[in-house]
Amino acid sequence: NAGVTQTPKFRVLKTGQSMTLLCAQDMNHEYMYWYRQDPGMGLRLIHYSVGEGTTAKGEVPDGYNVSRLKKQNFLLGLESAAPSQTSVYFCASSPPSGSNFHEQFFGPGTRLTVL
Amino acid sequence: DAKTTQPTSMDCAEGRAANLPCNHSTISGNEYVYWYRQIHSQGPQYIIHGLKNNETNEMASLIITEDRKSSTLILPHATLRDTAVYYCIVRVAFSGNNRKLIWGLGTSLAVNP
């Protein structure tokens, strides 16, 4: 199992450009999450999904959109990138029940710089 | 939302037990305590969780005080590979049955040879 993978690993954007970050998991998890991590701050939840076709806002959703068309994929979109969105983005997944109910599995992260 | 307080950094000698404290004095009765770690900017990794009772798994032990206002993560025999940032996290319910993790800044643990 690959677990949780993220594409791309690094990206540099100019202000106003758009891009999509892809998260994929092969563990058949229902729940998926997008976080951002900034220096001096803990991870903050951007959006999450509790199943295919459903998405919801987290703590810091402004400037981002998400889609969960397939259970294994969770896409994070930046419509018009701003320097404040320079961050490391982590995707995670978790099952809704079972022995791993309490654990979130994280991807390796995407390092995004907006100039 | 419940918040956690941890030391900014700690040192531990290789082979010794590492005891990482965490205060969560505002925790509610149904909120779990979780510990994750992050090694050198990799994705966070789950370690252990608990509600009221002490817990142990192959990675660590979690000691929760009776009043649940603080806890300690114990790595029994720290190795160099345990050098990481350790996060004490409270999971809170929000938006129905959904839950979110409230992350703090963590403790940077350095395991020294």
Side-chain angles (χ1 to χ4, degrees):
Chain A
N1 287 349
V4 180
T5 58
Q6 293 183 231
T7 308
K9 290 184 170 55
F10 303 93
R11 186 73 185 267
V12 178
L13 290 179
K14 294 181 179 178
T15 298
Q17 287 184 319
S18 63
M19 78 163 294
T20 300
L21 283 68
L22 172 63
C23 176
Q25 53 96 2
D26 60 2
M27 296 172 284
N28 202 35
H29 287 168
E30 291 290 337
Y31 293 2
M32 296 187 75
Y33 315 82
W34 275 107
Y35 292 90
R36 61 178 289 173
Q37 185 174 36
D38 301 297
M41 303 186 74
L43 271 73
R44 292 181 292 169
L45 183 64
I46 304 172
H47 285 281
Y48 66 98
S49 168
V50 300
E52 181 178 321
T54 70
T55 63
K57 294 180 180 180
E59 302 171 77
V60 288
D62 293 343
Y64 305 95
N65 58 74
V66 288
S67 64
R68 184 96 181 270
L69 299 179
K70 293 183 179 180
K71 186 177 182 179
Q72 63 267 34
N73 296 335
F74 195 26
L75 278 63
L76 178 71
L78 285 72
E79 298 171 337
S80 179
S84 61
Q85 294 178 303
T86 294
S87 188
V88 180
Y89 292 86
F90 288 102
C91 176
S93 70
S94 67
S97 62
S99 59
N100 289 334
F101 171 69
H102 287 276
E103 181 176 353
Q104 291 190 12
F105 296 78
F106 282 81
T110 294
R111 283 150 184 78
L112 176 66
T113 301
V114 183
L115 301 176
Chain B
D1 289 341
K3 293 170 61 177
T4 61
T5 305
Q6 300 176 252
T8 302
S9 62
M10 294 183 64
D11 289 309
C12 178
E14 187 177 19
R16 297 285 203 172
N19 297 284
L20 290 85
C22 178
N23 287 321
H24 33 79
S25 58
T26 60
I27 195 170
S28 298
N30 61 348
E31 293 174 345
Y32 285 81
V33 177
Y34 290 76
W35 284 83
Y36 279 72
R37 72 181 184 182
Q38 188 173 25
I39 297 173
H40 191 54
S41 298
Q42 296 177 17
Q45 175 191 23
Y46 166 85
I47 301 173
I48 199 167
H49 74 276
L51 183 61
K52 296 180 181 179
N53 300 321
N54 298 338
E55 303 288 343
T56 296
N57 62 21
E58 65 277 5
M59 291 182 66
S61 294
L62 174 61
I63 308 298
I64 302 175
T65 57
E66 192 169 342
D67 63 7
R68 300 208 332 117
K69 293 185 176 182
S70 66
S71 60
T72 301
L73 178 74
I74 301 173
L75 307 179
H77 306 286
T79 70
L80 299 178
R81 289 175 296 179
D82 292 323
T83 293
V85 177
Y86 287 78
Y87 295 96
C88 171
I89 300 158
V90 173
R91 187 188 77 167
V92 301
F94 83 117
S95 185
N97 292 326
N98 301 317
R99 63 259 194 233
K100 65 177 179 180
L101 303 179
I102 305 297
W103 297 73
L105 299 180
T107 295
S108 180
L109 175 69
V111 180
N112 304 309

